[in-house]
């Protein structure tokens, strides 16, 4: 395996010669230009693949610049994951699946589960799994930092579930702000979904501004039914985890 | 240990006679009236205590109706917790601490940590630990239930951290809506804090509506500094948990 870093383009022809697989792994906002820049060096026997957290545009661009096999991946875990065991790798088929079959097999051998999905459906789901979540986590952290409270005191008083929630907010801010800005703004659907969350916020707030306890309980029951069996399953699943979270307390 | 249930008031004098400790454990909106109703049966040698998730008002009411020892508790864990080991029990001293010293010792022997705090400070912290958190979880669940998505698909694609977050939303709706309505609305500060979160939501949204990536990153860095060493600590702490969360995947 060889890598072509951003300063290596002058030697791109040497580095890419005879590659079986060209795997694009760059910051999200450099993906499309990087794929384009690869075009002169690609030959039909190469597999062109990427690891970007959005899939529709990169896949379209790869199919456009390359005549050979094309496949898009999105590994659903961070760089700190010690092994691929039980992790999910999203796969959006492009072209020539028989040529990159060995690659999917290899990922499975490493222990990951391959989840095949259409690129547009993938991006739609990521609006919720990434953009909305990161936006909300950012908002909670910003809010907390402006409140008349001491973090130490909140931690001393916190139940396991709240400590975990604080940890999930705080961990965002140990990471790269620019990356999160890019993920949150990568497509127009993200913004409209965040705006719809704001409308739901206002709707939820109204129950308490208007002291409408009955209205709150009615909607609560509706959501309970929407979750179906999952709410009970989640309750059990999270109990185990929360007990473990508590064991890590100092 | 004997209990006085809501249908047992006719025998309250018999049930409460010779009690060393009277421990109030009723729904939050019944607490004050229950304490009042106990007044005729209390003698000075009894300890009067409660387990309500708010502390200022119940403590004040207990001090008012009872001349003997008074103490307020708030156990920071749910009814599904298998043992008190490492759990936090908040203690707000009322009056006559030497008389209930044995009770604090007993709670410690069971393995819990006692966190002593002023009742008003406790209630202020709970605005964040309970009211704001439960409100937000409710809002996310309501929003999700109204979106054009399938929960199964989100779960299939989810990273460990997102699965955990979905679980923390879904588990709320397996519980009692009325209890959450009461916790969210138990004091005016909760409403004003939720309203301030709405203002922060709007401020955060503006970065993306105005495509102000630099502004987002600047605020991101400010919050990073506010979290200080905790953001790194939280990142490490949650990594362990997220790996375990992943191990529970089917």
């Amino acid at each position: 395996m060889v890598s072509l870093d951003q300063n290596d383009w002058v030697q791109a022809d040497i580095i890419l010669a005879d590659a079986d697989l060209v795997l694009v792994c760059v910051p999200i906002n450099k993906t499309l230009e990087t794929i384009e820049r690869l075009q002169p060096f690609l030959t039909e026997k190469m597999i062109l693949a990427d690891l970007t957290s959005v899939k529709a545009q990169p896949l379209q661009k790869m199919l456009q610049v390359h005549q050979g096999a094309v496949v898009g991946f999105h590994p659903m875990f961070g760089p700190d994951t010690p092994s691929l065991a039980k992790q999910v790798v999203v796969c959006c088929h492009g072209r020539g699946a028989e040529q990159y079959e060995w690659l999917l097999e290899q990922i499975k051998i490493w222990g990951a589960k391959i989840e095949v999905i259409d690129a547009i459906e993938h991006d739609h789901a990521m609006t919720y799994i990434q953009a909305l979540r990161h936006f909300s986590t950012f908002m909670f952290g910003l809010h907390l930092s402006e409140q008349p409270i001491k973090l130490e005191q909140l931690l001393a008083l916190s139940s396991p579930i709240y400590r975990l929630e604080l940890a999930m907010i705080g961990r965002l801010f140990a990471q790269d702000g620019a990356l999160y800005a890019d993920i949150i703004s990568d497509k127009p659907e993200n913004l409209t979904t965040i705006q719809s969350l704001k409308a739901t916020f206002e709707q939820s707030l109204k129950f308490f501004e208007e002291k409408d306890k009955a209205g709150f309980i009615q909607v609560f029951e509706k959501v309970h039914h929407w979750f179906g069996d999952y709410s009970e399953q989640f309750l059990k699943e999270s109990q185990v985890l929360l007990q473990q979270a508590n064991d890590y307390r100092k």
Side-chain angles (χ1 to χ4, degrees), chain A:
Chain A
M1 203 180 79
V2 289
S3 73
L4 190 165
D5 208 10
Q6 53 187 334
N7 304 317
D8 301 333
W9 283 103
V10 285
Q11 308 181 61
D13 53 343
I14 301 163
I15 292 171
L16 292 169
D18 303 319
D20 293 315
L21 168 66
V22 178
L23 186 62
V24 179
C25 178
V26 297
I28 184 169
N29 60 343
K30 303 278 181 205
T31 302
L32 298 182
E33 66 177 78
T34 303
I35 293 170
E36 259 183 9
R37 222 168 153 182
L38 284 168
Q39 185 163 28
F41 312 105
L42 301 172
T43 62
E44 209 157 322
K45 69 173 187 68
M46 295 178 185
I47 302 164
L48 181 59
D50 82 308
L51 298 174
T52 320
S53 61
V54 287
K55 296 269 56 79
Q57 280 198 325
L59 193 64
Q60 196 184 11
K61 180 62 80 182
M62 289 193 296
L63 286 167
Q64 185 191 316
V65 306
H66 185 44
Q67 301 308 311
V70 164
V71 58
F73 293 113
H74 182 192
M76 297 305 298
F77 47 88
D80 51 309
T81 306
S83 104
L84 265 66
K86 291 195 193 179
Q87 301 288 354
V88 171
V89 175
V90 172
C91 167
C92 299
H93 287 300
R95 176 199 302 133
E98 66 292 344
Q99 208 181 321
Y100 58 77
E101 181 65 36
W102 65 268
L103 183 55
L104 304 187
E105 285 308 314
Q106 183 57 56
I107 293 169
K108 286 185 211 162
I109 288 166
W110 284 325
K113 191 181 169 190
I114 294 205
E115 197 69 46
V116 174
I117 189 170
D118 170 77
I120 289 167
E121 268 192 77
H122 165 276
D123 289 359
H124 174 56
M126 288 308 140
T127 298
Y128 300 91
I129 296 179
Q130 297 196 316
L132 195 63
R133 203 186 83 71
H134 296 330
F135 174 84
S136 304
T137 307
F138 169 80
M139 163 186 85
F140 283 123
L142 173 56
H143 182 253
L144 208 59
S145 75
E146 291 173 336
Q147 296 296 301
I149 43 130
K150 288 202 192 84
L151 191 51
E152 291 78 8
Q153 194 177 61
L154 288 188
L155 279 170
L157 295 176
S158 69
S159 55
I161 196 170
Y162 186 71
R163 186 185 176 89
L164 190 56
E165 199 153 278
L166 267 187
M168 274 153 74
I169 296 169
R171 66 176 265 131
L172 181 93
F173 295 94
Q175 299 175 66
D176 180 14
L179 172 70
Y180 287 108
D182 286 340
I183 293 178
I184 298 170
S185 61
D186 70 34
K187 62 184 184 303
E189 185 191 359
N190 295 355
L191 189 59
T192 56
T193 305
I194 293 169
Q195 283 163 336
S196 79
L197 180 64
K198 192 183 143 215
T200 306
F201 193 134
E202 284 159 2
Q203 184 193 347
S204 305
L205 183 56
K206 214 176 251 182
F207 292 124
F208 297 98
E209 285 175 336
E210 297 177 353
K211 299 185 195 306
D212 180 11
K213 187 174 163 176
F216 175 88
I217 293 172
Q218 201 184 341
V219 168
F220 191 98
E221 286 308 314
K222 234 173 81 182
V223 180
H224 170 72
H225 285 115
W226 182 81
F227 271 102
D229 294 337
Y230 279 111
S231 63
E232 279 297 335
Q233 185 193 317
F234 285 150
L235 189 63
K236 282 178 205 145
E237 197 175 305
S238 55
Q239 267 164 25
V240 181
L241 269 171
L242 292 176
Q243 284 159 22
Q244 287 177 336
N246 200 49
D247 285 344
Y248 292 116
R249 288 184 90 107
K250 283 177 206 151

